[in-house]
């Protein structure tokens, strides 16, 4: 486990491989750990980083600044502290929000963005996550509700990763989640996307019960921008876990694309699993 001090707080991170840097950003549930299968794929040709946002995983849970804006600042501090001048960002949900805002504010620091199940305006979540219902959604008060049930139903090939995701979800503080939730609802990425200069591949699951891909359809109208919307018809909210090989191929194709559209291709498998060396 690796840790660094950012803004006088401990931040936990992990790194696989060598090459051009890719930073993986987790969502408002879970931690860095659910990125392991994709970091494993990406690390063959790249240096893959993932860290826990404050309040999540093994990072510091003190304080009261758990917002999208704060996490953008944390990302920039993380890059500065590790000497990462430029990187590609891969963000899931909230992590995708952080990625888009960071690239909009610091276009010289980022090569490409790949977002997954990212709400492009927070109100798309309002009908699913209402104030005062987070405990029930997470299954803290009942085992028959919302997110906890969805997490348990994930089709993750690695049973250990499945267990880790469930444990990370169960250990989250309601204080952190309430602040994050309010921040998500207030965030609207649409004005930033319209002027975004960094290439963006926005991936959604066609069966996602949390973030409906239809809300991102306007991306298809931004023909003058380096932006592509791609929907995996059979995937839910975690395409990179449900279809890890397909998603990994999308990522690798995107990294070397020269403005051409990314297509869904046949699944493939790597011969080496970097996780064996942790």
């Amino acid at each position: 486990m690796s840790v660094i001090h950012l803004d006088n707080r401990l931040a936990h991170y992990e790194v696989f491989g060598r090459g051009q840097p890719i930073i993986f950003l987790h969502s408002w549930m879970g931690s860095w750990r659910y990125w392991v299968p994709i970091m494993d794929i990406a690390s063959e040709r790249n240096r893959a980083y993932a860290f826990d946002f404050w309040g999540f995983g093994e990072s510091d849970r003190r304080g009261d600044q758990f917002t999208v804006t704060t996490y953008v600042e944390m990302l920039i501090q993380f890059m500065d502290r590790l000497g990462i001048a430029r990187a590609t960002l891969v963000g899931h949900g909230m992590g995708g929000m952080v990625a888009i805002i960071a690239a909009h504010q610091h276009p010289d620091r980022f090569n490409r963005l790949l977002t997954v199940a990212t709400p492009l305006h927070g109100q798309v979540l309002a009908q699913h996550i209402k104030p005062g219902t987070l405990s029930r959604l997470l299954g803290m008060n009942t085992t028959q509700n919302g997110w906890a049930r969805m997490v348990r139903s994930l089709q993750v090939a690695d049973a250990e990763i499945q267990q880790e995701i469930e444990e990370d979800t169960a250990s989250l503080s309601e204080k952190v989640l309430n602040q994050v939730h309010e921040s998500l609802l207030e965030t609207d990425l649409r004005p930033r996307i319209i002027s975004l200069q960094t290439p963006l591949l926005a991936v959604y699951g066609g069966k996602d019960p949390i973030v409906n891909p239809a809300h991102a359809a306007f991306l298809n109208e931004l023909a003058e921008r380096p932006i592509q919307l791609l929907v995996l018809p059979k995937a839910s909210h975690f395409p990179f876990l449900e279809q890890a090989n397909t998603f990994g191929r999308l990522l690798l194709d995107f990294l070397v694309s020269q403005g051409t559209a990314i297509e869904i291709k046949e699944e493939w498998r790597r011969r080496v699993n970097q996780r064996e060396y942790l």
Side-chain angles (χ1 to χ4, degrees):
M1 182 175 78
S2 300
V3 295
I4 54 174
H5 280 90
L6 301 176
D7 196 21
N8 296 318
R9 288 188 283 179
L10 284 178
H12 164 248
Y13 75 96
E14 299 292 345
V15 57
F16 296 177
R18 299 177 182 274
Q20 295 299 311
I22 303 175
I23 303 175
F24 292 84
L25 305 172
H26 67 79
S27 190
W28 58 86
M29 310 290 180
S31 71
W32 83 278
R33 294 193 289 184
Y34 65 41
W35 285 119
V36 168
I38 300 304
M39 292 176 69
D40 176 47
I41 292 172
S43 64
E44 182 174 336
R45 301 176 184 176
N46 301 273
R47 192 161 179 81
Y49 297 85
F51 66 86
D52 291 326
F53 289 122
W54 284 311
F56 294 83
E58 302 299 324
S59 286
D60 203 321
R61 300 193 177 197
R62 296 174 298 170
D64 57 0
Q65 295 297 312
F66 306 106
T67 67
V68 173
T69 299
T70 302
Y71 294 147
V72 172
E73 297 170 357
M74 183 182 185
L75 168 62
I76 299 301
Q77 290 178 23
F78 176 81
M79 294 176 65
D80 290 344
R81 184 74 171 79
L82 293 184
I84 302 172
R86 291 179 64 90
T88 291
L89 297 179
V90 180
H92 174 227
M94 179 184 71
M97 287 181 153
V98 172
I100 290 172
I101 295 173
H104 183 263
Q105 294 179 351
H106 305 274
D108 59 323
R109 302 294 301 269
F110 303 103
N111 300 315
R112 301 169 190 269
L113 310 177
L114 195 162
T115 61
V116 191
T118 294
L120 301 184
H121 57 92
Q123 286 302 309
V124 73
L125 301 172
Q127 60 180 321
H128 299 293
I129 308 177
K130 299 179 181 180
T133 65
L134 286 174
S135 290
R136 295 193 299 277
L137 180 64
L138 287 169
M140 293 175 178
N141 296 330
T142 173
T143 60
Q144 302 298 321
N145 223 307
W147 189 278
R149 185 171 64 247
M150 186 174 67
V151 167
R152 289 193 298 272
S153 69
L154 285 175
Q155 300 299 312
V156 182
D158 190 321
E160 183 178 351
I161 294 177
Q162 173 80 43
Q163 182 178 354
E164 290 173 349
I165 294 171
E166 294 179 13
E167 291 174 353
D168 286 335
T169 300
S171 69
L172 291 171
S173 160
E174 190 168 3
K175 172 186 175 181
V176 172
L177 290 174
N178 276 317
Q179 289 195 19
V180 167
H181 164 249
E182 292 178 4
S183 176
L184 293 175
L185 293 183
E186 295 171 354
T187 301
D188 188 346
L189 301 176
R190 290 171 293 186
R192 296 178 174 92
I193 289 174
I194 291 174
S195 58
L196 190 68
Q197 299 299 317
T198 308
L200 167 64
L201 176 62
V203 177
Y204 293 88
K207 297 182 178 180
D208 190 340
I210 302 296
V211 182
N212 190 318
H215 92 287
F218 76 95
L219 295 179
N220 290 324
E221 302 173 3
L222 303 178
E224 72 281 3
R225 304 254 69 87
I227 292 172
Q228 181 182 353
L229 170 64
L230 194 153
V231 178
L232 297 175
K234 298 180 180 180
S236 182
H237 192 64
F238 296 85
F240 50 91
L241 290 173
E242 299 156 13
Q243 300 180 20
N245 295 318
T246 297
F247 185 88
R249 183 62 181 268
L250 290 176
L251 172 59
L252 295 183
D253 286 351
F254 182 53
L255 292 175
V256 298
S257 66
Q258 300 295 324
T260 57
I262 305 302
E263 299 179 353
I264 301 173
K265 296 180 180 178
E266 294 295 325
E267 294 189 359
W268 59 282
R269 293 185 180 275
R270 289 191 60 227
R271 293 184 297 247
V272 179
N273 187 334
Q274 293 288 339
R275 197 164 189 262
E276 296 175 0
Y277 300 100
L278 283 178

